[in-house]
PDB file of all heavy atoms in Angstrom:
ATOM      1  N   LYS R 153      -1.367   9.648 -24.010  1.00  0.00           N
ATOM      2  CA  LYS R 153      -0.436  10.736 -24.272  1.00  0.00           C
ATOM      3  C   LYS R 153      -0.266  11.610 -23.044  1.00  0.00           C
ATOM      4  O   LYS R 153       0.816  12.056 -22.684  1.00  0.00           O
ATOM      5  CB  LYS R 153      -0.917  11.604 -25.446  1.00  0.00           C
ATOM      6  CG  LYS R 153      -0.785  10.905 -26.775  1.00  0.00           C
ATOM      7  CD  LYS R 153      -0.718  11.920 -27.934  1.00  0.00           C
ATOM      8  CE  LYS R 153      -0.477  11.214 -29.252  1.00  0.00           C
ATOM      9  NZ  LYS R 153      -1.734  10.974 -30.008  1.00  0.00           N
ATOM     10  N   LYS R 154      -1.395  11.826 -22.353  1.00  0.00           N
ATOM     11  CA  LYS R 154      -1.386  12.637 -21.154  1.00  0.00           C
ATOM     12  C   LYS R 154      -0.538  11.935 -20.086  1.00  0.00           C
ATOM     13  O   LYS R 154       0.309  12.567 -19.410  1.00  0.00           O
ATOM     14  CB  LYS R 154      -2.799  12.818 -20.649  1.00  0.00           C
ATOM     15  CG  LYS R 154      -2.940  13.910 -19.655  1.00  0.00           C
ATOM     16  CD  LYS R 154      -4.425  14.251 -19.465  1.00  0.00           C
ATOM     17  CE  LYS R 154      -4.621  15.207 -18.311  1.00  0.00           C
ATOM     18  NZ  LYS R 154      -3.846  16.430 -18.423  1.00  0.00           N
ATOM     19  N   ALA R 155      -0.683  10.625 -19.994  1.00  0.00           N
ATOM     20  CA  ALA R 155       0.067   9.843 -18.979  1.00  0.00           C
ATOM     21  C   ALA R 155       1.563   9.991 -19.234  1.00  0.00           C
ATOM     22  O   ALA R 155       2.350  10.162 -18.289  1.00  0.00           O
ATOM     23  CB  ALA R 155      -0.356   8.356 -19.059  1.00  0.00           C
ATOM     24  N   GLU R 156       1.966   9.968 -20.502  1.00  0.00           N
ATOM     25  CA  GLU R 156       3.411  10.077 -20.801  1.00  0.00           C
ATOM     26  C   GLU R 156       3.970  11.444 -20.350  1.00  0.00           C
ATOM     27  O   GLU R 156       5.100  11.510 -19.903  1.00  0.00           O
ATOM     28  CB  GLU R 156       3.640   9.864 -22.298  1.00  0.00           C
ATOM     29  CG  GLU R 156       3.474   8.381 -22.628  1.00  0.00           C
ATOM     30  CD  GLU R 156       3.914   8.032 -24.008  1.00  0.00           C
ATOM     31  OE1 GLU R 156       4.672   8.802 -24.629  1.00  0.00           O
ATOM     32  OE2 GLU R 156       3.512   6.958 -24.462  1.00  0.00           O
ATOM     33  N   ARG R 157       3.112  12.453 -20.454  1.00  0.00           N
ATOM     34  CA  ARG R 157       3.573  13.796 -19.998  1.00  0.00           C
ATOM     35  C   ARG R 157       3.591  13.848 -18.464  1.00  0.00           C
ATOM     36  O   ARG R 157       4.300  14.703 -17.905  1.00  0.00           O
ATOM     37  CB  ARG R 157       2.640  14.880 -20.524  1.00  0.00           C
ATOM     38  CG  ARG R 157       2.735  15.095 -22.029  1.00  0.00           C
ATOM     39  CD  ARG R 157       2.086  16.431 -22.419  1.00  0.00           C
ATOM     40  NE  ARG R 157       0.693  16.546 -22.043  1.00  0.00           N
ATOM     41  CZ  ARG R 157      -0.335  16.065 -22.778  1.00  0.00           C
ATOM     42  NH1 ARG R 157      -0.108  15.473 -23.927  1.00  0.00           N
ATOM     43  NH2 ARG R 157      -1.582  16.208 -22.368  1.00  0.00           N
ATOM     44  N   GLU R 158       2.812  12.983 -17.830  1.00  0.00           N
ATOM     45  CA  GLU R 158       2.715  13.081 -16.356  1.00  0.00           C
ATOM     46  C   GLU R 158       3.763  12.261 -15.603  1.00  0.00           C
ATOM     47  O   GLU R 158       4.102  12.602 -14.464  1.00  0.00           O
ATOM     48  CB  GLU R 158       1.302  12.651 -15.923  1.00  0.00           C
ATOM     49  CG  GLU R 158       0.275  13.668 -16.314  1.00  0.00           C
ATOM     50  CD  GLU R 158      -1.156  13.245 -16.065  1.00  0.00           C
ATOM     51  OE1 GLU R 158      -1.389  12.023 -15.851  1.00  0.00           O
ATOM     52  OE2 GLU R 158      -2.038  14.091 -16.087  1.00  0.00           O
ATOM     53  N   PHE R 159       4.323  11.226 -16.266  1.00  0.00           N
ATOM     54  CA  PHE R 159       5.330  10.423 -15.545  1.00  0.00           C
ATOM     55  C   PHE R 159       6.471  11.255 -14.936  1.00  0.00           C
ATOM     56  O   PHE R 159       6.843  11.070 -13.805  1.00  0.00           O
ATOM     57  CB  PHE R 159       5.934   9.367 -16.474  1.00  0.00           C
ATOM     58  CG  PHE R 159       4.997   8.219 -16.730  1.00  0.00           C
ATOM     59  CD1 PHE R 159       4.739   7.805 -18.023  1.00  0.00           C
ATOM     60  CD2 PHE R 159       4.389   7.526 -15.680  1.00  0.00           C
ATOM     61  CE1 PHE R 159       3.858   6.758 -18.268  1.00  0.00           C
ATOM     62  CE2 PHE R 159       3.531   6.495 -15.906  1.00  0.00           C
ATOM     63  CZ  PHE R 159       3.249   6.107 -17.211  1.00  0.00           C
ATOM     64  N   PRO R 160       6.980  12.230 -15.726  1.00  0.00           N
ATOM     65  CA  PRO R 160       8.143  12.985 -15.164  1.00  0.00           C
ATOM     66  C   PRO R 160       7.775  13.812 -13.927  1.00  0.00           C
ATOM     67  O   PRO R 160       8.666  14.305 -13.248  1.00  0.00           O
ATOM     68  CB  PRO R 160       8.545  13.899 -16.322  1.00  0.00           C
ATOM     69  CG  PRO R 160       7.903  13.361 -17.538  1.00  0.00           C
ATOM     70  CD  PRO R 160       6.681  12.641 -17.068  1.00  0.00           C
ATOM     71  N   LEU R 161       6.490  13.985 -13.640  1.00  0.00           N
ATOM     72  CA  LEU R 161       6.090  14.794 -12.481  1.00  0.00           C
ATOM     73  C   LEU R 161       6.110  13.997 -11.186  1.00  0.00           C
ATOM     74  O   LEU R 161       5.870  14.562 -10.106  1.00  0.00           O
ATOM     75  CB  LEU R 161       4.686  15.408 -12.720  1.00  0.00           C
ATOM     76  CG  LEU R 161       4.637  16.367 -13.899  1.00  0.00           C
ATOM     77  CD1 LEU R 161       3.218  16.763 -14.220  1.00  0.00           C
ATOM     78  CD2 LEU R 161       5.457  17.621 -13.588  1.00  0.00           C
ATOM     79  N   ALA R 162       6.407  12.716 -11.291  1.00  0.00           N
ATOM     80  CA  ALA R 162       6.418  11.856 -10.075  1.00  0.00           C
ATOM     81  C   ALA R 162       7.391  12.408  -9.030  1.00  0.00           C
ATOM     82  O   ALA R 162       7.136  12.254  -7.819  1.00  0.00           O
ATOM     83  CB  ALA R 162       6.831  10.438 -10.460  1.00  0.00           C
ATOM     84  N   HIS R 163       8.431  13.106  -9.450  1.00  0.00           N
ATOM     85  CA  HIS R 163       9.437  13.584  -8.448  1.00  0.00           C
ATOM     86  C   HIS R 163       8.876  14.668  -7.528  1.00  0.00           C
ATOM     87  O   HIS R 163       9.469  14.949  -6.534  1.00  0.00           O
ATOM     88  CB  HIS R 163      10.696  14.077  -9.156  1.00  0.00           C
ATOM     89  CG  HIS R 163      10.546  15.422  -9.766  1.00  0.00           C
ATOM     90  ND1 HIS R 163      10.008  15.623 -11.009  1.00  0.00           N
ATOM     91  CD2 HIS R 163      10.811  16.660  -9.284  1.00  0.00           C
ATOM     92  CE1 HIS R 163       9.966  16.916 -11.264  1.00  0.00           C
ATOM     93  NE2 HIS R 163      10.453  17.569 -10.243  1.00  0.00           N
ATOM     94  N   LYS R 164       7.705  15.209  -7.873  1.00  0.00           N
ATOM     95  CA  LYS R 164       7.115  16.242  -7.017  1.00  0.00           C
ATOM     96  C   LYS R 164       6.344  15.643  -5.843  1.00  0.00           C
ATOM     97  O   LYS R 164       5.777  16.375  -5.028  1.00  0.00           O
ATOM     98  CB  LYS R 164       6.189  17.132  -7.826  1.00  0.00           C
ATOM     99  CG  LYS R 164       6.932  17.963  -8.890  1.00  0.00           C
ATOM    100  CD  LYS R 164       6.009  18.946  -9.524  1.00  0.00           C
ATOM    101  CE  LYS R 164       6.702  19.761 -10.556  1.00  0.00           C
ATOM    102  NZ  LYS R 164       7.181  21.062 -10.098  1.00  0.00           N
ATOM    103  N   TYR R 165       6.237  14.320  -5.824  1.00  0.00           N
ATOM    104  CA  TYR R 165       5.449  13.663  -4.780  1.00  0.00           C
ATOM    105  C   TYR R 165       6.323  13.217  -3.623  1.00  0.00           C
ATOM    106  O   TYR R 165       7.576  13.120  -3.764  1.00  0.00           O
ATOM    107  CB  TYR R 165       4.716  12.442  -5.382  1.00  0.00           C
ATOM    108  CG  TYR R 165       3.574  12.842  -6.305  1.00  0.00           C
ATOM    109  CD1 TYR R 165       3.822  13.458  -7.526  1.00  0.00           C
ATOM    110  CD2 TYR R 165       2.287  12.606  -5.947  1.00  0.00           C
ATOM    111  CE1 TYR R 165       2.768  13.818  -8.371  1.00  0.00           C
ATOM    112  CE2 TYR R 165       1.209  12.938  -6.763  1.00  0.00           C
ATOM    113  CZ  TYR R 165       1.478  13.547  -7.997  1.00  0.00           C
ATOM    114  OH  TYR R 165       0.436  13.900  -8.811  1.00  0.00           O
ATOM    115  N   ASP R 166       5.682  12.895  -2.486  1.00  0.00           N
ATOM    116  CA  ASP R 166       6.469  12.407  -1.340  1.00  0.00           C
ATOM    117  C   ASP R 166       6.797  10.919  -1.480  1.00  0.00           C
ATOM    118  O   ASP R 166       7.839  10.480  -0.975  1.00  0.00           O
ATOM    119  CB  ASP R 166       5.670  12.577  -0.053  1.00  0.00           C
ATOM    120  CG  ASP R 166       5.306  14.046   0.209  1.00  0.00           C
ATOM    121  OD1 ASP R 166       6.249  14.868   0.142  1.00  0.00           O
ATOM    122  OD2 ASP R 166       4.129  14.366   0.414  1.00  0.00           O
TER     123      ASP R 166
END
Side-chain angles (χ1 to χ4, degrees):
K153 288 204 175 98
K154 195 166 172 56
E156 287 190 18
R157 290 196 301 275
E158 288 172 346
F159 285 129
L161 296 170
H163 77 275
K164 294 188 181 263
Y165 288 69
D166 300 309

